[in-house]
Amino acid sequence: MALAHMVVLSAALVLPLTVPYAVAVALRRDEFRRRRSCADRPGQAGALIRLDEKLRDTDPAVLPARLGPAPIEWLARDLRRLDRQRRGGVTLESVRWQAAVMRAYDERLCLACECLGVTENLRPLDGLDREIERVRVEGALEAAGLQLR
């Protein structure tokens, strides 16, 4: 019985001292882990922490805009690939897939128009108006020398 009392009394004394530390470690475990791994490499510790913070703050959607326009050859290849996907295959089985392929195709059309100086109004349109504008833009790009099919 005395042993049980000693265990309970010890737990009552140790628990309030260790719980705050355990909560702090649980809340900031990534930071502790990063500091520990960087401490193993003293020359690179600061560089790794800065790189990690930069990568964490980078928005992947903004990155292509910072890189500048893609080469027209890449855009033409993407347009041909997306055109094949939108006309057949898995795209016809899934409405979501088809919508994603069409968004990507339209975005590449806009980038190609920007590269070749062709005017387009795809972004503000939707529905049948967008499909008509897409056909017009495809014709204008082909007239400018871009092979879409």
Side-chain angles (χ1 to χ4, degrees):
M1 187 75 158
L3 183 62
H5 286 288
M6 281 182 27
V7 168
V8 170
L9 184 60
S10 298
L13 291 174
V14 171
L15 199 60
L17 297 174
T18 58
V19 168
Y21 178 73
V23 169
V25 167
L27 292 176
R28 302 183 79 184
R29 70 177 182 265
D30 290 338
E31 185 178 335
F32 287 131
R33 207 177 286 152
R34 183 175 61 220
R35 285 184 183 171
R36 189 180 69 230
S37 68
C38 289
D40 297 339
R41 303 176 195 147
Q44 298 176 355
L48 289 174
I49 290 172
R50 284 191 301 277
L51 177 64
D52 183 44
E53 290 169 354
K54 248 185 202 179
L55 290 175
R56 191 174 297 154
D57 295 337
T58 303
D59 183 11
V62 178
L63 188 61
R66 275 195 236 150
L67 295 176
I72 193 67
E73 295 85 12
W74 292 2
L75 292 173
R77 185 189 66 223
D78 282 350
L79 283 166
R80 287 190 292 269
R81 177 183 53 84
L82 290 167
D83 184 54
R84 282 191 308 271
Q85 286 182 357
R86 74 183 181 125
R87 294 181 185 279
V90 179
T91 306
L92 299 178
E93 297 172 9
S94 170
V95 174
R96 284 186 178 180
W97 187 278
Q98 186 174 19
V101 168
M102 290 307 295
R103 276 194 308 272
Y105 184 75
D106 288 346
E107 186 61 34
R108 298 309 188 289
L109 281 176
C110 293
L111 290 172
C113 286
E114 186 179 309
C115 285
L116 296 176
V118 174
T119 58
E120 55 84 18
N121 292 315
L122 278 170
R123 289 186 178 106
L125 300 174
D126 60 349
L128 185 60
D129 293 335
R130 188 174 193 134
E131 290 179 29
I132 293 169
E133 177 66 8
R134 186 179 302 124
V135 170
R136 186 197 70 76
V137 167
E138 288 172 343
L141 287 174
E142 286 179 352
L146 187 68
Q147 273 190 330
L148 295 176
R149 291 181 186 85

